[in-house]
Amino acid sequence: MGWIRLLIRLTGFLVFLAGTCALAIALKLIDLFRRQPVDRAPWAAFCFRRACQCLGFRIQVHGQPTEANALYVANHISWSDIPILGCITPLRFLSKAEVGNWPIIGWLARQAGTLFIQRGSGQARRIKSEISRCLNTGESVLVFPEGTTSSGLAVLPIHGFLLAAARDANTPIQPITIGYRRAHRPDPIAPFIGDDSFHAHLIRLLRQPPTQVDVVIHPTIDPARSESSNALTALIHQQISAGLKHIHAGEFEATPTGLRTAGAPGLPRLP
């Protein structure tokens, strides 16, 4: 059954990639005849939802994104965090530079407006300024302040330097917790860690039955009210960690499956 499931899903995923590439090319061609570029946000959300469908994720969202733009801050478990969070609310992502070099995926990420940072290259100040600029123009940006992916069992120490972009832009911070569960336990397949390769990890995901993904959207935080950057970092770490504990305790398993929020069932559901 695993190989049959892999064949069906992999075919669907390849068709999805081809269609997404065609869409991205079409949007670039349309831009040639317009004074302002086409807004990519709704198209990106559409593609993210289709990606999650191809990957077989059962997503449940608990909480509500803020109506205004915000700096979203989430724990990081896998590359799949990006399509999952991207289909919930319009976002620009900050990703490691290596993703930008992935065939096809990297090019598509660039077309969606992803910001890339090379770890250990001294680019943090430039990236912080770029995030502030995006926030000032009304866009929302999501960062993974752990700086790397984890096993998903706990939240790693987070780096607070980029969080100052929200204070510079007078924009709220909204913490997010993401967790993967399979057979009522933390999913050991979803984490993308160590020297794992994208294609090998993708094949493992596609071979397995669907995994449940819980996304907890916490209340916004006004960064100007924090006494120090350390206090702000500690508060965010505490909220994200608490959300992960609730997920792995199985507290959300009674919630109906689908892309929705507990307080706002009007959000679009995955097909």
Side-chain angles (χ1 to χ4, degrees):
M1 288 298 296
W3 288 106
I4 296 175
R5 186 184 298 113
L6 171 62
L7 179 61
I8 295 173
R9 284 188 181 168
L10 184 58
T11 301
F13 189 76
L14 292 176
V15 171
F16 157 76
L17 280 183
T20 304
C21 289
L23 174 62
I25 294 172
L27 292 177
K28 288 181 71 69
L29 292 175
I30 293 173
D31 286 344
L32 298 176
F33 302 96
R34 291 170 54 94
R35 292 184 178 181
Q36 291 187 348
V38 176
D39 182 10
R40 263 56 172 183
W43 296 103
F46 171 83
C47 292
F48 284 140
R49 283 198 283 275
R50 292 300 175 265
C52 291
Q53 179 186 9
C54 292
L55 294 168
F57 291 136
R58 294 175 176 173
I59 305 172
Q60 296 181 112
V61 182
H62 317 276
Q64 182 69 30
T66 178
E67 294 183 2
N69 69 312
L71 177 64
Y72 290 90
V73 180
N75 60 315
H76 198 14
I77 299 173
S78 175
W79 56 268
S80 56
D81 299 344
I82 291 179
I84 291 168
L85 298 176
C87 67
I88 295 173
T89 188
L91 291 169
R92 292 187 69 175
F93 292 90
L94 176 65
S95 180
K96 61 181 183 180
E98 290 88 336
V99 174
N101 297 325
W102 289 357
I104 303 179
I105 299 295
W107 181 78
L108 289 174
R110 294 182 186 278
Q111 304 311 306
T114 301
L115 307 173
F116 295 100
I117 183 170
Q118 181 72 46
R119 288 175 293 184
S121 63
Q123 296 180 346
R125 291 187 180 278
R126 179 185 64 81
I127 291 297
K128 182 172 76 72
S129 298
E130 181 67 13
I131 293 173
S132 295
R133 184 192 67 78
C134 293
L135 295 174
N136 279 321
T137 59
E139 296 180 290
S140 293
V141 180
L142 185 139
V143 300
F144 299 108
E146 291 169 292
T148 186
T149 52
S150 73
S151 64
L153 300 177
V155 181
L156 300 176
I158 66 177
H159 307 282
F161 180 78
L162 294 178
L163 304 182
R167 181 174 294 163
D168 296 342
N170 194 26
T171 304
I173 295 174
Q174 187 149 43
I176 294 180
T177 304
I178 184 169
Y180 298 77
R181 284 176 64 80
R182 188 182 298 274
H184 309 291
R185 299 180 61 85
D187 187 357
I189 300 172
F192 183 65
I193 53 179
D195 296 328
D196 203 356
S197 63
F198 171 76
H199 67 275
H201 187 258
L202 174 64
I203 290 175
R204 287 199 303 275
L205 279 177
L206 296 178
R207 284 189 61 184
Q208 299 299 321
T211 185
Q212 177 177 323
V213 185
D214 288 287
V215 179
V216 181
I217 304 178
H218 301 278
T220 57
I221 299 172
D222 183 356
R225 294 185 178 181
S226 298
E227 298 178 357
S228 66
S229 59
N230 289 337
L232 177 62
T233 300
L235 176 60
I236 292 173
H237 189 278
Q238 179 183 10
Q239 287 193 357
I240 296 176
S241 297
L244 194 61
K245 290 180 180 178
H246 290 311
I247 291 172
H248 290 323
E251 297 182 14
F252 300 118
E253 292 191 356
T255 305
T257 300
L259 179 57
R260 54 163 295 172
T261 64
L267 279 182
R269 296 170 64 96
L270 286 174

